[in-house]
């Protein structure tokens, strides 16, 4: 198996200064557009999902959920955001930093606990986020005991198949131990799940799991319009597509002969390959599990991609499965090289 390649993940919650709402309407619209265009300029560099917390929290208005290859990208994004005129009216309400990694517990029978080394958000309407800290006595329990307690957790989670869990690890990186982010379409399902989990043994070792933030997924422009003020609905084209519908995602020099790279297109992670000087792009997520296909191996003679986890094979040109566990094709993208830029769409 290829070496574990993790992502850094950040949940940045922003609160707007109410003074912004008293600015002239034309200025508000201009500032929203500048803010959105600034975020758009980071598209190929990280995965970014936007959520509004207007109407669900009094102390936060906007969530930028980010997943990148390194901390510096997160830093550059925040510097750029706060350098805009609208950014000068935002303050950080909450910030949770962590990384993806494999669980130390085994969940062989539970597809919901596939290893999540690459953040791949679903399209659910709601995201429920909270930081999480276990009490120290939890870590003093024998590993087998903790595994049994986690098995109970999984059994309860299985009763709520509509709720999907993302677990981020923050040990040593931030104040909490984990950030948990549940995706779902029905807040009632999540409420019932959390109530039932309270009765589990593992829950008795929880030291802190607040604040809980209920976030509503929407495009950046829609999220900005939930802040009030002049609307920017006319700028709904968030994706920085070129005239031909393709978007620059990397430089040719970043993907050498025989190499690969994970890039981002809007809210999707894409695996980019250079096979014999020709570039191919497909979804970074294997259709069998959650392996990152950019970490797979391509046979240059057959152009068959082998998944790094269970050996699933795909035809890189078409995405069709060509062996191993996957049965569904992986999505492929058009690729074009213009000068030094690789464009995908
Ligand atoms: S995750 Fe199993 S074959 Fe790719």
């Amino acid at each position: 198996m290829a070496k574990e390649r993790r992502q850094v993940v950040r949940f940045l919650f922003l609160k707007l200064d109410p003074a912004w709402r008293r600015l002239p309407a034309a200025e508000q619209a201009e500032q929203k557009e500048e803010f959105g265009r600034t975020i758009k300029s980071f598209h190929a560099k990280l995965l970014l999902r936007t959520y509004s917390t207007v109407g669900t929290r009094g102390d936060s208005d906007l969530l930028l959920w980010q997943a990148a290859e390194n901390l510096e990208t997160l830093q550059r994004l925040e510097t750029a955001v706060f350098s805009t005129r609208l950014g000068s009216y935002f303050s950080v309400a909450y910030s949770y930093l962590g990384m993806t990694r494999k669980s130390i517990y085994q969940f062989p029978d539970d597809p919901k606990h596939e290893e999540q080394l690459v953040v791949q958000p679903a399209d659910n309407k709601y995201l429920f986020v909270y930081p999480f800290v276990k009490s120290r006595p939890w870590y003093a329990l024998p590993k087998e005991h903790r595994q049994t307690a986690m098995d109970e957790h999984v059994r309860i989670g299985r009763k709520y198949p509509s709720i999907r869990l993302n677990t981020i690890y923050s040990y040593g990186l931030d104040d909490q131990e984990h950030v948990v982010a549940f995706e779902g379409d029905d807040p009632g399902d999540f409420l019932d799940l959390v109530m039932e989990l309270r009765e589990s043994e593992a829950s008795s070792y929880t030291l802190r799991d607040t604040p809980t933030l209920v976030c509503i997924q929407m495009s950046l422009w829609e999220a900005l319009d939930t802040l009030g003020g002049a609307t920017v609905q006319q700028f709904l084209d968030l994706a920085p597509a070129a005239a031909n519908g393709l978007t620059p995602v990397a430089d040719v020099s970043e993907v050498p002969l025989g190499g690969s790279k994970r890039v981002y297109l809007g809210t999707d992670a894409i695996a980019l390959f250079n096979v014999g000087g020709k570039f191919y792009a497909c979804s970074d997520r294997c259709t069998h599990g959650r392996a990152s296909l950019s970490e797979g191996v391509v046979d240059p003679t057959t152009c068959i991609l082998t998944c790094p986890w269970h050996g699933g094979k795909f035809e890189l040109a078409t995405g069709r499965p060509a062996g191993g566990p996957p049965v569904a094709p992986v999505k492929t993208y058009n690729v074009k090289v213009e000068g030094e830029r690789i464009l995908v769409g």
Side-chain angles (χ1 to χ4, degrees):
M1 186 179 287
K3 186 175 181 301
E4 187 172 304
R5 218 169 84 191
R6 302 172 182 176
Q7 287 184 305
V8 288
V9 183
R10 182 142 186 249
F11 296 84
L12 177 63
F13 290 90
L14 299 173
K15 177 68 183 168
L16 182 68
D17 183 337
W20 180 86
R21 296 195 176 94
R22 295 190 283 276
L23 293 176
E27 210 172 313
Q28 291 172 335
E30 266 176 37
Q31 290 192 14
K32 284 183 181 178
E33 191 198 358
E34 180 199 22
F35 187 90
R37 300 279 171 214
T38 300
I39 288 183
K40 190 178 73 169
S41 69
F42 279 79
H43 257 276
K45 303 182 182 84
L46 78 167
L47 185 140
L48 192 141
R49 283 271 170 123
T50 48
Y51 297 79
S52 175
T53 51
V54 171
T56 65
R57 289 287 301 195
D59 54 359
S60 165
D61 293 312
L62 192 65
L63 163 63
L64 303 179
W65 181 12
Q66 308 150 51
E69 310 308 300
N70 52 59
L71 290 169
E72 288 73 15
T73 301
L74 305 184
Q75 185 180 57
R76 280 194 285 274
L77 173 70
E78 184 158 330
T79 300
V81 161
F82 283 135
S83 299
T84 63
R85 286 168 294 166
L86 176 54
S88 70
Y89 286 90
F90 276 122
S91 57
V92 175
Y94 299 100
S95 167
Y96 303 121
L97 178 70
M99 293 186 87
T100 56
R101 64 152 290 153
K102 293 177 183 172
S103 174
I104 62 169
Y105 302 107
Q106 306 295 319
F107 305 102
D109 302 325
D110 188 0
K112 286 174 74 181
H113 274 83
E114 294 156 339
E115 295 148 344
Q116 299 174 45
L117 291 179
V118 180
V119 172
Q120 315 236 27
D123 286 322
N124 297 105
K125 188 167 182 189
Y126 302 104
L127 185 72
F128 310 95
V129 182
Y130 56 88
F132 189 76
V133 182
K134 285 277 191 201
S135 66
R136 286 296 200 273
W138 167 259
Y139 296 98
L141 293 175
K143 172 98 182 288
E144 302 70 41
H145 190 143
R146 282 182 277 151
Q147 176 72 56
T148 304
M150 292 308 293
D151 289 345
E152 182 191 19
H153 240 252
V154 170
R155 271 197 304 280
I156 295 171
R158 274 191 198 142
K159 295 187 198 171
Y160 300 88
S162 63
I163 302 292
R164 183 174 177 271
L165 171 62
N166 298 275
T167 305
I168 305 303
Y169 294 75
S170 299
Y171 294 85
L173 300 181
D174 206 341
D175 294 351
Q176 66 282 342
E177 293 171 348
H178 296 101
V179 189
V180 283
F182 294 85
E183 294 171 273
D185 293 318
D186 184 348
D189 283 351
F190 183 63
L191 182 152
D192 294 345
L193 168 63
V194 173
M195 269 185 76
E196 197 164 344
L197 285 173
R198 285 287 193 278
E199 297 171 15
S200 68
E201 185 193 3
S203 178
S204 63
Y205 290 94
T206 299
L207 189 65
R208 178 166 67 86
D209 59 359
T210 55
T212 302
L213 297 119
V214 177
C215 316
I216 305 172
Q217 188 185 173
M218 54 189 75
S219 76
L220 174 61
W221 303 114
E222 291 170 304
L224 289 176
D225 281 346
T226 66
L227 300 172
T231 64
V232 285
Q233 288 291 337
Q234 65 267 38
F235 303 118
L236 281 174
D237 175 27
L238 180 62
N244 56 10
L246 302 176
T247 302
V249 292
D251 284 341
V252 169
S253 59
E254 295 176 75
V255 195
L257 206 61
S260 62
K261 183 177 172 64
R262 183 166 56 232
V263 296
Y264 301 96
L265 182 66
T267 54
D268 298 324
I270 290 178
L272 199 56
F273 299 90
N274 180 344
V275 186
K278 185 168 169 67
F279 292 94
Y280 295 87
C282 67
S283 168
D284 192 46
R285 179 174 175 175
C286 180
T287 56
H288 173 240
R290 291 187 187 178
S292 171
L293 289 177
S294 59
E295 293 167 27
V297 175
V298 178
D299 180 334
T301 55
T302 60
C303 215
I304 297 280
L305 164 66
T306 301
C307 173
W309 280 12
H310 314 109
K313 294 184 188 303
F314 298 95
E315 292 176 10
L316 207 42
T318 64
R320 277 197 287 266
V327 288
V330 68
K331 182 178 177 186
T332 56
Y333 295 83
N334 294 322
V335 184
K336 192 173 177 204
V337 176
E338 281 184 1
E340 277 309 296
R341 301 293 283 154
I342 303 171
L343 293 85
V344 167

